Amino acid sequence: MDGSPPLPVAEFAFPGPLRDKLVAAVLAGRKTTTTSLRIEYDMEDELLPSVGGRHLVIDSMARPVAVIETAAVEQVLLGSVSWAHASCEGEGHPDLQQWRNDHESFWHSQSMRDFLGDPGFTVDDDTPVVLERFRVVEILPDPPARLGGYP
């Protein structure tokens, strides 16, 4: 041990196929941005990411697979998210509308509503979101083959 405090954990989506897809995109270098609901930070009393901050990316089995460093953070309303940001999420969306549709489906899912403790939770253009741009600073040894291995 080097005496450094442990890195905070970056969790993309919930454990399962979507998280594994997103983590694979991070490892491959296709995913360099992410969008979170501001309410998630508020309810967990968690600070927003800060430029230069590092996080440990985990897979669906909570295994560490990479370290990322935050390059930019911005708070905007959902209706203001740009295609420049959305396209860098590495999920293969052909346009901003499809990105929005997929994100709304996730945010309106039963899993998210359960997590937020709000069975009727919905988003709209005025929902505050946190946009983060990051870079991979280290891919940890032996990411599981199901995540695509090394880029």
Side-chain angles (χ1 to χ4, degrees):
M1 304 289 300
D2 66 6
S4 299
L7 292 175
V9 172
E11 296 180 85
F12 294 97
F14 296 110
L18 178 57
R19 176 177 290 174
D20 291 339
K21 174 185 170 186
L22 298 176
V23 169
V26 169
L27 294 174
R30 292 187 313 273
K31 181 172 183 60
T32 59
T33 63
T34 194
T35 305
S36 305
L37 298 172
R38 172 62 203 228
I39 194 172
E40 293 177 71
Y41 291 94
D42 295 341
M43 69 176 282
E44 295 189 341
D45 201 24
E46 182 180 339
L47 296 175
L48 295 182
S50 59
V51 173
R54 292 186 174 195
H55 288 80
L56 187 65
V57 177
I58 62 170
D59 68 8
S60 288
M61 302 299 291
R63 293 178 294 215
V65 296
V67 176
I68 58 173
E69 182 177 87
T70 301
V73 179
E74 182 179 11
Q75 292 184 70
V76 302
L77 298 179
L78 181 56
S80 299
V81 175
S82 71
W83 177 238
H85 172 83
S87 65
C88 292
E89 287 203 6
E91 298 176 49
H93 297 111
D95 55 42
L96 189 58
Q97 187 58 55
Q98 187 60 51
W99 174 89
R100 174 81 179 250
N101 292 345
D102 285 354
H103 279 68
E104 284 189 18
S105 291
F106 175 75
W107 290 325
H108 294 162
S109 71
Q110 190 62 52
S111 295
M112 180 57 84
R113 289 174 171 168
D114 289 347
F115 174 76
L116 296 174
D118 182 351
F121 179 79
T122 60
V123 299
D124 60 29
D125 282 349
D126 295 325
T127 301
V129 294
V130 177
L131 308 181
E132 182 180 2
R133 179 172 299 282
F134 59 85
R135 67 183 186 92
V136 174
V137 293
E138 182 181 3
I139 294 178
L140 301 174
D142 303 319
R146 65 185 171 68
L147 295 179
Y150 293 95

